[in-house]
């Protein structure tokens, strides 16, 4: 009985997941920051390059199809996560970075809405506390890593420590004396690469997404927040002051991506001017990744199976 259920589960899963990976695979070359190559963010679309070539009617049909695939991915992600949990070997760490309003929170809400909350932990990282500043910059992230079998999401991450503080080095605190220059930042990239390699070698699969929006789209989204009293809470005056440093941030992102996109842990530069594009791509990449691990439900011996059947028979007669 157990085996039949398992088989049925697999057949249904395959049927549901028929289109998983289609979108991401098709566009992977365009959105993956090739390790060892210098990328320029300007070469990556914030829109969806192909979309511009489509006529309006086709665009709508395309969007509809993408949203359906997002739905299928959500369902597939839920079953993939169950398998991740049951097999208890790997964990998944999803890193979301992007400028203010890039859509980090919305992505978490929409992509992971079907996943069992017990196997999924979200951490949002803000300006470090005094206690956090009394440790090395990786400390607070160590403590937040997902357990085996879990999906962990970092809404902002240790990358802030080579982004916001690279743009504003005066915010670095309690460090041994020394020049804050190229060497200092290279050492941080090196620390991050070693940290990620260590995690990877021990079963943590890391997926890093940069939600790439245009400056114009950010302006639109900030204005939206200011026009809608139900969106005021999302607005912060620092969003406007940080916007003045747009080019510095883009440069810091470019440097960070170039220094830390590796074969084992690459960066994906996700076109994020359209939320549905970003969400569909990210869901597709996560699901495809978990499925590629080729996980198995824990095997059961014939001896134990016979005992389970006997227990079931006794229960029926109860
Ligand atoms: P939000 O994501 O809108 O809640 O904002 C969180 C804020 O915390 C952002 O302005 C980040 O730049 C800031 N932040 C996150 N990590 C760090 C860090 N390590 N050092 C300084 N600021 C940080
Ligand atoms: Mg904010």
């Amino acid at each position: 009985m157990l085996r039949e259920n398992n088989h049925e589960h697999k057949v249904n899963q395959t049927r549901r997941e028929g289109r998983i990976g289609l979108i991401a695979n098709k566009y992977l070359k365009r959105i993956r920051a090739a390790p060892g190559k210098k990328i320029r963010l300007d070469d990556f679309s914030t829109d969806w390059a192909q979309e511009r070539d489509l006529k309006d009617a086709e665009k709508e049909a395309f969007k509809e199809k993408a949203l359906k695939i997002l739905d299928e991915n959500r369902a597939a992600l839920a079953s993939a996560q169950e398998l991740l949990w049951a097999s208890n070997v790997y964990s998944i760490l999803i890193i979301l970075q992007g400028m203010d309003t890039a859509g980090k929170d919305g992505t978490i809400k929409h992509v992971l809405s079907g996943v069992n909350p017990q196997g999924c932990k979200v951490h949002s990282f803000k300006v470090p506390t005094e206690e956090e500043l009394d440790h090395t910059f990786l400390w607070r992230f160590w403590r937040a890593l997902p357990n085996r079998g879990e999906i962990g999401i970092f809404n902002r991450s240790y990358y802030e420590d080579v982004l916001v503080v690279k743009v504003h080095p005066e915010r670095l605190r309690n460090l041994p004396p020394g020049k804050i220059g190229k060497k200092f930042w290279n050492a941080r990239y090196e620390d991050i690469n070693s940290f990620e390699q260590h995690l990877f070698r021990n079963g943590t699969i890391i997926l890093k997404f940069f939600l790439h929006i245009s400056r114009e789209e950010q302006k639109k989204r900030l204005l939206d927040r200011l026009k809608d009293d139900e969106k005021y809470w999302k607005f912060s005056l620092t969003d406007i002051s940080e916007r003045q440093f747009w080019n510095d941030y883009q440069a810091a992102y470019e440097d960070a991506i170039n220094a830390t996109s590796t074969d084992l842990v690459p960066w994906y530069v996700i076109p994020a001017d359209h939320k549905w594009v970003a969400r569909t791509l990210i869901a597709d990449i996560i699901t495809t990744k978990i499925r590629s691990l080729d996980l198995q439900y824990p095997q059961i011996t014939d001896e134990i199976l016979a005992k389970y059947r006997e227990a079931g028979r006794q229960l029926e007669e109860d």
Side-chain angles (χ1 to χ4, degrees), residues 12 22 37 83 164 170 180-181 205 208 212 230 234 242 296 317-318:
N12 283 336
L22 275 187
K37 276 196 183 157
L83 196 51
V164 61
E170 68 280 5
I180 308 298
I205 312 295
K208 305 188 285 196
H212 188 27
E230 287 186 3
K234 288 189 183 180
E242 287 313 288
Q296 307 290 332
E317 284 171 5
D318 188 17

Side-chain angles (χ1 to χ4, degrees), residues 9-278:
H9 175 86
K10 283 222 167 101
V11 169
N12 283 336
Q13 189 172 326
T14 311
R15 199 176 294 142
R16 260 205 314 269
E17 296 176 1
R19 288 198 288 186
I20 305 302
L22 275 187
I23 291 210
N25 284 338
K26 190 164 172 201
Y27 293 95
L28 216 52
K29 264 218 174 106
R30 257 191 249 169
I31 59 179
R32 192 167 178 271
K37 276 196 183 157
K38 284 263 172 284
I39 62 120
R40 284 177 57 247
L41 280 178
D42 277 348
D43 296 336
F44 285 78
S45 176
T46 57
D47 201 315
W48 205 348
Q50 161 148 358
E51 212 202 5
R52 252 178 270 145
D53 312 331
L54 295 170
K55 294 201 177 67
D56 274 352
E58 286 169 338
K59 212 194 283 185
E60 275 312 303
F62 191 51
K63 179 174 175 181
E64 210 172 287
K65 189 171 153 204
L67 286 175
K68 262 200 199 121
I69 293 180
L70 174 59
D71 252 354
E72 288 165 19
N73 263 298
R74 264 199 289 247
L77 192 56
S79 60
Q81 190 255 345
E82 197 175 279
L83 196 51
L84 186 75
W85 178 263
S87 51
N88 198 37
V89 174
Y90 294 102
S91 56
I92 308 286
L93 175 62
I94 298 166
I95 291 184
L96 292 175
Q97 286 289 158
M99 301 294 284
D100 292 312
T101 77
K104 301 183 287 295
D105 300 81
T107 299
I108 295 170
K109 184 166 140 189
H110 285 87
V111 171
L112 292 147
S113 62
V115 170
N116 181 351
Q118 282 210 84
C120 183
K121 288 203 184 94
V122 183
H123 289 272
S124 297
F125 294 97
K126 313 282 176 189
V127 178
T129 62
E130 286 302 317
E131 190 195 18
E132 287 165 349
L133 284 169
D134 275 342
H135 297 82
T136 85
F137 77 94
L138 288 173
W139 181 73
R140 60 173 175 161
F141 305 98
W142 260 113
R143 295 161 31 108
L145 290 170
N147 297 335
R148 276 186 219 288
E150 287 180 350
I151 298 178
I153 297 111
F154 283 0
N155 182 355
R156 301 188 189 271
S157 64
Y158 40 85
Y159 281 98
E160 292 293 325
D161 293 278
V162 290
L163 295 166
V164 61
V165 290
K166 192 176 184 195
V167 174
H168 304 286
E170 68 280 5
R171 296 198 195 159
L172 284 164
R173 303 252 305 277
N174 310 357
L175 290 175
K179 193 165 160 258
I180 308 298
K182 215 172 170 170
K183 223 169 141 190
F184 175 86
W185 298 112
N186 283 341
R188 283 208 164 185
Y189 300 139
E190 220 179 273
D191 287 346
I192 288 176
N193 282 334
S194 309
F195 179 60
E196 292 184 344
Q197 303 289 309
H198 170 73
L199 293 179
F200 183 88
R201 281 195 279 262
N202 288 276
T204 304
I205 312 295
I206 308 174
L207 294 167
K208 305 188 285 196
F209 299 106
F210 169 55
L211 295 174
H212 188 27
I213 54 166
S214 64
R215 200 159 187 260
E216 299 72 53
E217 181 62 23
Q218 190 196 48
K219 179 176 171 183
K220 209 171 121 236
R221 291 185 188 180
L222 287 173
L223 284 172
D224 274 352
R225 290 180 180 184
L226 284 170
K227 279 184 207 143
D228 183 345
D229 58 6
E230 287 186 3
K231 284 189 181 164
Y232 288 157
W233 65 275
K234 288 189 183 180
F235 184 76
S236 151
L237 282 173
T238 60
D239 294 349
I240 302 286
S241 48
E242 287 313 288
R243 185 176 157 79
Q244 315 298 315
F245 297 96
W246 182 273
N247 291 337
D248 296 338
Y249 272 104
Q250 297 291 305
Y253 266 110
E254 223 166 68
D255 290 347
I257 290 171
N258 281 325
T260 62
S261 199
T262 59
D263 280 322
L264 298 180
V265 196
W267 270 102
Y268 299 98
V269 181
I270 302 290
D273 279 355
H274 300 281
K275 290 172 181 173
W276 59 272
V277 171

